[in-house]
Amino acid sequence: MRIPIILGPTAVGKTELLIELSKKYNFQIISMDSRQVYKLMNIGTAKPTEEENKLIRHHLIDYVDPEEHYDVNKYLKDSKIIEEKLLSNGIAPVYAGGTGLYADAITKGLVEGIPGNDFVRKALKNIDRNQSGYLYKILKTVDPVAFNKIHLNDSKRISRYLEAFMLNGIPLSKLQNNNQMDKKYQIIFLNRDRKELHNRISKRVDSMINKGLFEEVLKLYKMGYNKSNGSIRTIGYSEVFDYLDGTIGKEECIELIKRNTRRYARRQIIWFRRYVDSIQINLSDTDTKNILMIFSIIFNDFWGDNYGRKI
RNA sequence: GGUGAGGUAGCUCAGUAGGUAGAGCAGUGGACUGAAAAUCCAUGUGUGGAGGGUUCGAUUCCCUCCCUCGCCA
């Protein structure tokens, strides 16, 4: 029994494909998406609709309040619970999404026992604001390995390594494992020709707006959320907040959402390329019939003849 | 048809008193171990509209043509 992890950049067509596959195979999806976890954020995160969720069950979606803190560790814990539950019930789990960090955590594990600490973070942020470059100097003495990997301007990462040292007394870089990928998992990387992906992104953003993205964000805006909420730092939400604040115009806002989505997709692709052992499928040069055939081979290989298949 | 301005990177434009060109945006490559749709780093060769002339040498000067925009008929 192997567990597929289907990764692909935003708008590549994961949901459509999974729905097709669900007609032939009996499996459930463990979403691997850091934004679809939030309640009230449906249109902008391209969360599967209720109907889609009926066709194929998605887990780890729509279960966190937008003001709640969420991170990899929580994801890792929640997903492993669901994975085990599905397996013990004889249901094949399929991970699917686009958050690379989460895929790393699932397949390689995570350093344990060093949670983020808001108090420490705020303190570090204040120091950084007043004395630029100071934290970087401290990092050099505290965790030279990390110091060598991290750029002076990457204050977020500098703070994280300092935070870990302050809370633990051990350099975080010492605790980081170099674990190989767990062979239990197989990454399947769905991609498309860049130009086509860009067209799909543009169309999808337009359709989000038609479905009421601005109204959805306005609701959150009126509820008093702001960019200090991690959830709001999401493409489509952050830009509309700026529009509602009057910082940018509507047309500009839409263009920015598209641009930022394109850039995000590029970063995702760059991340997924690192999985050298992944099965890569370019959806631009394969038709649906072929893709279904490829997956039937993969799933047969992973699950055997009588696991997952619908008769 | 006449006349003026212009045609330079995917887009908007700059510049070269003749020595094959550079900004912004877009794009691209990369990093990533408890904020990750986040955060950070790096990255500009393009038939200078086409053809011809002058010149050691033309994107730059001259001629012809094509195209775009404005104005006049």
Side-chain angles (χ1 to χ4, degrees):
Chain A
M1 177 68 196
R2 298 187 76 197
I3 299 173
I5 299 178
I6 300 177
L7 296 176
T10 182
V12 80
K14 292 185 290 284
T15 306
E16 298 101 285
L17 176 62
L18 288 164
I19 284 170
E20 277 307 306
L21 288 168
S22 73
K23 292 173 186 164
K24 290 177 74 180
Y25 295 93
N26 207 349
F27 61 91
Q28 291 186 11
I29 291 170
I30 304 175
S31 166
M32 190 172 259
D33 189 299
S34 67
R35 303 292 137 157
Q36 292 183 1
V37 298
Y38 292 113
K39 295 175 188 169
L40 306 175
M41 297 171 64
N42 303 325
I43 298 168
T45 62
K47 201 181 283 175
T49 61
E50 261 179 58
E51 299 81 67
E52 286 169 334
N53 201 30
K54 257 177 216 160
L55 289 170
I56 175 158
R57 178 78 191 277
H58 292 70
H59 298 271
L60 299 189
I61 270 179
D62 202 36
Y63 79 112
V64 179
D65 283 324
E67 72 262 20
E68 224 176 291
H69 177 81
Y70 192 84
D71 61 38
V72 210
N73 186 245
K74 184 140 183 12
Y75 176 78
L76 188 59
K77 280 185 182 150
D78 292 349
S79 60
K80 291 285 180 176
I81 290 169
I82 290 174
E83 182 188 310
E84 273 163 39
K85 201 171 98 190
L86 291 179
L87 287 173
S88 69
N89 288 331
I91 298 164
V94 171
Y95 284 89
T99 304
L101 180 66
Y102 292 5
D104 261 24
I106 294 286
T107 58
K108 296 179 191 161
L110 201 69
V111 175
E112 275 176 49
I114 312 170
N117 183 304
D118 271 351
F119 183 74
V120 174
R121 283 179 188 186
K122 268 179 201 154
L124 289 172
K125 202 170 182 182
N126 274 331
I127 296 170
D128 192 45
R129 203 175 293 146
N130 296 326
Q131 282 178 275
S132 148
Y134 185 59
L135 295 182
Y136 196 52
K137 273 185 204 154
I138 298 176
L139 183 66
K140 189 174 184 177
T141 62
V142 157
D143 190 339
V145 176
F147 173 82
N148 282 320
K149 298 201 292 195
I150 298 172
H151 191 274
L152 165 70
N153 294 342
D154 200 349
S155 51
K156 199 163 162 178
R157 232 161 234 114
I158 293 169
S159 290
R160 169 60 186 157
Y161 280 83
L162 288 178
E163 168 191 70
F165 186 80
M166 287 164 80
L167 296 171
N168 202 41
I170 305 170
L172 179 57
S173 63
K174 269 202 179 139
L175 302 170
Q176 289 169 345
N177 54 58
N178 285 311
N179 289 353
Q180 295 293 304
M181 290 233 318
D182 187 339
K183 294 285 183 211
K184 181 166 87 171
Y185 300 101
Q186 170 66 52
I187 287 173
I188 299 163
F189 169 19
L190 303 177
N191 202 353
R192 285 191 120 98
D193 293 347
R194 197 61 64 91
K195 208 160 188 183
E196 191 189 356
L197 190 63
H198 286 177
N199 286 336
R200 290 175 63 98
I201 286 170
S202 176
K203 274 188 202 156
R204 193 167 76 165
V205 171
D206 289 338
S207 109
M208 281 176 177
I209 287 157
N210 287 334
K211 284 177 191 157
L213 177 63
F214 280 77
E215 290 75 8
E216 178 174 285
V217 182
L218 182 62
K219 218 180 280 171
L220 293 162
Y221 187 82
K222 281 184 175 161
M223 286 171 82
Y225 290 110
N226 58 64
K227 284 191 178 180
S228 70
N229 298 105
S231 55
I232 301 305
R233 313 211 65 172
T234 295
I235 297 168
Y237 296 82
S238 165
E239 295 84 352
V240 175
F241 265 63
D242 286 344
Y243 164 69
L244 294 170
D245 282 336
T247 322
I248 56 174
K250 190 159 187 177
E251 287 307 308
E252 189 185 359
C253 173
I254 295 167
E255 270 321 299
L256 280 173
I257 294 172
K258 289 181 179 177
R259 184 198 70 182
N260 291 338
T261 307
R262 272 181 248 129
R263 289 180 175 177
Y264 169 51
R266 175 165 58 81
R267 273 179 278 132
Q268 288 179 299
I269 290 166
I270 287 169
W271 185 297
F272 302 150
R273 288 208 265 246
R274 295 195 309 178
Y275 299 123
V276 286
D277 293 328
S278 68
I279 297 170
Q280 298 199 21
I281 302 173
N282 183 341
L283 298 178
S284 293
D285 45 45
T286 332
D287 61 21
T288 312
K289 209 173 151 191
N290 262 315
I291 290 162
L292 292 177
M293 208 171 72
I294 292 166
F295 271 95
S296 77
I297 294 166
I298 294 171
F299 285 170
N300 254 23
D301 180 38
F302 286 8
W303 299 335
D305 273 344
N306 45 20
Y307 204 144
R309 169 164 287 175
K310 278 183 181 171
I311 302 161

